[in-house]
Amino acid sequence: MNQDALKKQVGIEAARHIKNDMIVGLGTGSTVAYLIDEIARRIKEEKLTITGVSTSNATSKHAKKLGIPLKTIDEVDFVDLTIDGADEISADFQGIKGGGGALLFEKIVANYSRKYIWIVDESKLVDKIGNFPLPIEVVVYGAKQIYKILENKGYHPQFRYKKNKNFFVTDNGNFIIDLHLIDPIKDPTALGGELKKMVGVIEHGLFLNMVDTVIIGTNTGIQVLNAT
Ligand code: 5RP
C-alpha cells in the first residue's frame, strides 16, 4: 500500500472512535482529510451527530463543505476527543507537529481535549524525534532577530516559504521558522522550554506528553499504541 492508502486507512479507522453527541477536535493535514470524509459519511449514512472544533482554516473549509457542524474552542466547555495527524512520533510518544503550519490551534484544541489521538502512516514513527524540521510560529515583527538567535545557537533555522517564494503565513498571521536540527533532540522538554522563553515565539511544534493513543497504518494492517 502506498502512503496515501495508509493515511486513508487510519482516517477511516479513527472515525470509529467517535460516538453520538461528542465534541470532536478536528486536526489538520492530509490524514485528517480522510477522517473528515469518513465523519461526513457517518453523519449522512449513520445519522451520527457531532460538533467539530476545527484547528485550521483548511479543516474548517473542508468540514463545512461536507456539512459537519462546527464551533470554535471558545464556544464549547471542553472537547471529548481530538484526532490529528503528526509529523514524527518517538518510541516514548513525543511528537513533532506543524508540518502544515497549524501547530498553534492544534495545540490549543488538544490542550482542552479529554482524549487525544494521532493518526499516522508508519513512516512517521522514529526512535527519537528531531529529524523532521521543528516548526516554530513567530510574530512577524522581529522575526529576523529570532532567526539570528536561532542561527547562533546552531539550530539551522529556515523561514518557511510558499511555492511562489513569498513567506508562508499561518492562519494567525505569523511566520514559521523550521529548525533543521539534524541530530535527534536529546532533551525535548528543555528545548521546548528554551524556545517558549524567546520573546516573539508564539508556539513550537514539540507536542510532549500529550497524546493518549496513536493509530498507525502499516502494510500489515492497523496498529494501535496506547501511551496512557
Ligand atoms: C499540521 C500538522 C499535521 O497534522 C502534520 O503535518 C501531518 O500531516 P499529514 O497528515 O498531511 O502527513 O501538524 O500542522
Side-chain angles (χ1 to χ4, degrees):
M1 255 194 270
N2 64 26
Q3 192 183 22
D4 218 42
L6 296 177
K7 288 182 177 192
K8 184 171 181 176
Q9 193 187 36
V10 283
I12 292 172
E13 172 66 21
R16 293 177 44 189
H17 291 249
I18 299 170
K19 310 280 178 242
N20 267 336
D21 302 326
M22 273 189 167
I23 298 171
V24 181
L26 303 170
T28 296
S30 55
T31 319
V32 165
Y34 289 117
L35 166 77
I36 293 172
D37 288 346
E38 177 63 8
I39 293 174
R41 186 201 65 74
R42 289 195 57 198
I43 289 174
K44 204 167 159 215
E45 294 176 15
E46 299 172 16
K47 308 293 171 233
L48 176 74
T49 54
I50 66 139
T51 302
V53 175
S54 170
T55 56
S56 64
N57 292 344
T59 289
S60 299
K61 195 173 159 196
H62 186 179
K64 276 186 200 156
K65 195 173 153 201
L66 298 181
I68 299 174
L70 295 180
K71 282 190 176 172
T72 69
I73 191 66
D74 283 325
E75 291 170 328
V76 298
D77 291 330
F78 58 86
V79 176
D80 288 291
L81 164 66
T82 288
I83 305 174
D84 202 349
D87 297 302
E88 233 180 27
I89 307 173
S90 65
D92 60 349
F93 298 99
Q94 311 300 352
I96 290 182
K97 286 183 47 54
L103 61 147
L104 178 60
F105 284 4
E106 289 173 339
K107 205 178 261 190
I108 291 172
V109 172
N111 194 49
Y112 296 105
S113 300
R114 289 180 170 170
K115 183 156 189 187
Y116 188 34
I117 296 179
W118 283 338
I119 49 175
V120 293
D121 67 86
E122 57 191 339
S123 72
K124 307 288 182 74
L125 301 183
V126 294
D127 189 29
K128 281 182 180 286
I129 52 175
N131 188 43
F132 189 89
L134 174 63
I136 306 176
E137 181 158 351
V138 299
V139 175
V140 170
Y141 188 80
K144 286 189 183 160
Q145 300 298 340
I146 292 178
Y147 177 94
K148 277 192 271 180
I149 295 170
L150 294 168
E151 199 170 39
N152 288 336
K153 283 176 181 280
Y155 291 162
H156 306 285
Q158 271 179 19
F159 276 104
R160 193 179 293 185
Y161 292 97
K162 294 193 289 194
K163 279 199 190 103
N164 66 9
K165 308 249 168 71
N166 289 334
F167 280 108
F168 176 93
V169 177
T170 68
D171 289 350
N172 323 298
N174 302 308
F175 286 163
I176 296 275
I177 297 176
D178 291 302
L179 303 186
H180 294 256
L181 298 167
I182 305 161
D183 293 325
I185 301 168
K186 283 199 188 80
D187 187 344
T189 305
L191 178 61
E194 180 187 339
L195 295 171
K196 272 294 257 211
K197 269 197 286 190
M198 293 175 68
V199 177
V201 168
I202 310 243
E203 196 47 82
H204 56 73
L206 289 165
F207 281 54
L208 308 177
N209 306 316
M210 290 180 74
V211 76
D212 297 301
T213 299
V214 182
I215 304 178
I216 307 146
T218 79
N219 269 310
T220 51
I222 297 221
Q223 204 189 339
V224 179
L225 299 177
N226 287 310
T228 48

